[in-house]
């Protein structure tokens, strides 16, 4: 699995959003869009992942998808009932669909994504009548920090 589990797996989740930011910084260092995600259940971290579509040559290798896959493998179930997802950017429609199918309880995200978001922007996946499960959503946490990380990444790419 491409999500980072050790040394985080089964460690107390004292600040999961900080772990997500650490993962986002790893993504940037690898030339990937700096997005990180963490899945937590009962106060324990199940998975930590960052964007890897370029490295894996997989357009679905978003941080949220990789974190969900690793958490499902960790608990041996396709549903993440009672789990919370922390992510540094508003999930896109694809990731929002996966979050719904996984039955994640709560989603906490940092920066809003007016162009590509699927939760507060775009199709607003969780507000659709066809959505089978809508988690509680809390957005805008440490938004300025996440926006700066993204802005710096794309500025550096343009200058290179």
């Amino acid at each position: 699995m491409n999500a980072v589990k050790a040394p985080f797996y089964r460690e107390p989740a004292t600040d999961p959003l900080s772990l997500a930011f650490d993962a986002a910084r790893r993504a940037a260092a690898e030339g990937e869009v700096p997005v990180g995600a963490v899945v937590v259940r009962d106060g324990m971290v199940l998975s930590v992942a960052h964007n890897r579509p370029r490295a894996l040559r997989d357009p679905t290798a978003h941080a949220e998808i990789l974190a969900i896959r690793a958490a499902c493998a960790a608990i041996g179930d396709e549903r993440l009932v009672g789990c919370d997802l922390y992510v540094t950017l508003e999930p896109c429609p694809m990731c929002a669909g996966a979050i719904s199918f996984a039955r994640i309880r709560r989603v906490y995200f940092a920066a809003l994504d007016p162009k590509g978001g699927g939760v507060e922007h775009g199709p607003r996946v969780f507000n659709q009548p066809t959505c089978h499960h809508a988690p509680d959503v809390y957005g805008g946490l440490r938004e300025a920090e996440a926006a700066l990380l993204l802005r710096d990444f794309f500025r550096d790419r343009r200058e290179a």
Side-chain angles (χ1 to χ4, degrees):
M1 186 59 44
N2 296 310
V4 176
K5 289 197 291 187
F8 304 111
Y9 180 64
R10 297 190 187 268
E11 292 295 319
T14 55
D15 186 2
L17 195 52
S18 288
L19 293 176
F21 272 99
D22 290 345
R25 288 194 248 329
R26 280 194 298 281
E30 294 173 13
E32 301 279 3
V33 175
V35 178
V38 175
V39 176
V40 174
R41 183 170 72 180
D42 298 328
M44 301 301 277
V45 173
L46 296 177
S47 63
V48 178
H50 62 277
N51 271 0
R52 300 203 61 218
R54 294 177 62 96
L56 299 178
R57 299 186 186 341
D58 177 358
T60 70
H62 290 196
E64 300 95 322
I65 299 292
L66 297 176
I68 288 169
R69 288 176 183 164
C72 287
I75 65 170
D77 197 345
E78 78 279 8
R79 300 247 170 110
L80 296 173
V81 175
C83 291
D84 300 331
L85 174 72
Y86 295 79
V87 62
T88 59
L89 183 65
E90 175 184 349
C92 73
M94 174 186 70
C95 292
I99 289 163
S100 177
F101 289 135
R103 305 298 195 267
I104 289 174
R105 175 178 56 182
R106 293 184 202 109
V107 175
Y108 300 89
F109 69 86
L112 293 164
D113 187 357
K115 288 183 180 178
V119 176
E120 300 289 330
H121 296 89
R124 300 176 193 253
V125 171
F126 303 138
N127 294 336
Q128 300 305 315
T130 55
C131 182
H132 297 287
H133 168 78
D136 294 332
V137 176
Y138 305 90
L141 308 171
R142 294 170 61 178
E143 183 173 10
E145 180 182 357
L148 180 63
L149 183 61
L150 288 159
R151 214 172 15 253
D152 287 351
F153 173 79
F154 287 112
R155 183 201 64 230
D156 292 348
R157 301 239 349 160
R158 283 190 302 275
E159 292 175 357

